[in-house]
Amino acid sequence: MALLMEAGSEPKTNEEIVDLEAISALKQSAAIELKEQGNEHVKKGKKQYPDAIDCYTRAINQKALSDPETSILYSNRAHVNLLLGNHRRALQDAEEAIKLCPTNVKALYRAIKASLSLNLLAEARSYCKEGLQQSPDNEELKKLAKQIDLKTSEHEQHEAEVSKAVAVAEDLVSAFKDRRIKYGKAMYQELTGNKKPMLDKNNILHWPVLLLYPEVMSSDIIEDFCETDMFSVHLDMMFSESSLPLPWDTENAYTRDAIELYYEADFGVCFSKKEIFGYLLEGTAASHLEKYSAEETDAINRSPYSNGNGPKWVRISERRTLHDVLKNPDLIVPGIPVFYVVSKRSGFYKDFTSGNWTLPTVA
């Protein structure tokens, strides 16, 4: 009997030939029946999609149908996998269907859909081209061709934005190095947001600068402080006679002739080149390229720079440029420059300059 034959052996008797033909017919019938059952499961909705996949798989495993018919089984299973969101499996099934029958337009359509979902645009375009060669008037394929063109355009635009963001970050890192600027972990982002410096076409740095009034912990932001500007230029504008007094300065102590500007020396977490690059990419199209956490940063640097004897306030000469101040070896720029404004006329002045005032803890 055929059932007792060894695998790979040829039938030798008419009885064995008849038996094999009968077995083949049974397997073909079973495969066709399983295919129909799978189709019925699909029609009944999502809850029966797993049953449909099971039926198509069992039909394929019969290995009893012709290549074009088996191609349909793979294509049908690809369809259900698409409906379930199993895009990688759907693509694998569609590709197998295309191998078995290159003219299977439905398989090509499903390969395109799966490729688009996986953002495999080159593959989607190739399958779409094949599909339109087989069926030039197919409206669904034409719609997919337009989607591919749109996604390709969006992808190219995104890649251009990524390249631009990377180039900007690299230029800034290089500019910091050339100027011997120590760049570190951002502070007061609740006040400044994600502001960052920019480099103009003449290779001049422009910084957002945070001015803190430590007496009341109020703040001002200078949006564009060119590195070649002297501090006096901005202070003259902010504290001119025509300017309104600060709303909290009831004693009018913060006048142009009374204010002084300071930075805190030897304080902050200094970043490595890689960390600077990662920080500058945050909030850009290239933010996925470099990732690091505050914990990792602290672990690398172990602890912030600090003199260990309380804050060391360094007074800034107003005739100096921002560039001159930022290259001081004891200054770490915390994301953007932070300077402290105090008034000689205020009772707070003595506490501040004597080191009796310290920054509030930053979470």
Side-chain angles (χ1 to χ4, degrees), residues 139-190:
E139 292 300 322
E140 291 300 315
L141 290 179
K142 289 180 181 179
K143 288 179 184 178
L144 286 178
K146 290 180 179 179
Q147 286 183 35
I148 294 167
D149 288 341
L150 179 60
K151 288 199 74 170
T152 300
S153 176
E154 291 173 348
H155 177 73
E156 289 172 351
Q157 182 179 348
H158 176 72
E159 288 301 304
E161 291 172 355
V162 169
S163 297
K164 182 179 178 181
V166 169
V168 167
E170 288 176 341
D171 288 345
L172 284 170
V173 170
S174 179
F176 297 163
K177 181 180 179 181
D178 293 343
R179 291 161 174 77
R180 302 191 302 278
I181 292 173
K182 291 181 178 178
Y183 196 78
K185 185 176 180 180
M187 296 175 62
Y188 303 114
Q189 284 189 295
E190 70 278 8

Side-chain angles (χ1 to χ4, degrees), residues 34 52-62 73 77 93:
L34 285 166
I53 287 178
D54 179 64
C55 286
Y56 294 137
T57 301
R58 288 160 61 199
I60 291 168
N61 291 341
Q62 295 296 318
L73 291 173
R77 195 168 71 177
D93 280 344

Side-chain angles (χ1 to χ4, degrees), residues 41 45-57 80 84:
H41 285 306
K46 188 172 183 178
K47 288 184 178 180
Q48 295 196 27
Y49 288 169
D51 294 325
I53 287 178
D54 179 64
C55 286
Y56 294 137
T57 301
V80 181
L84 288 171

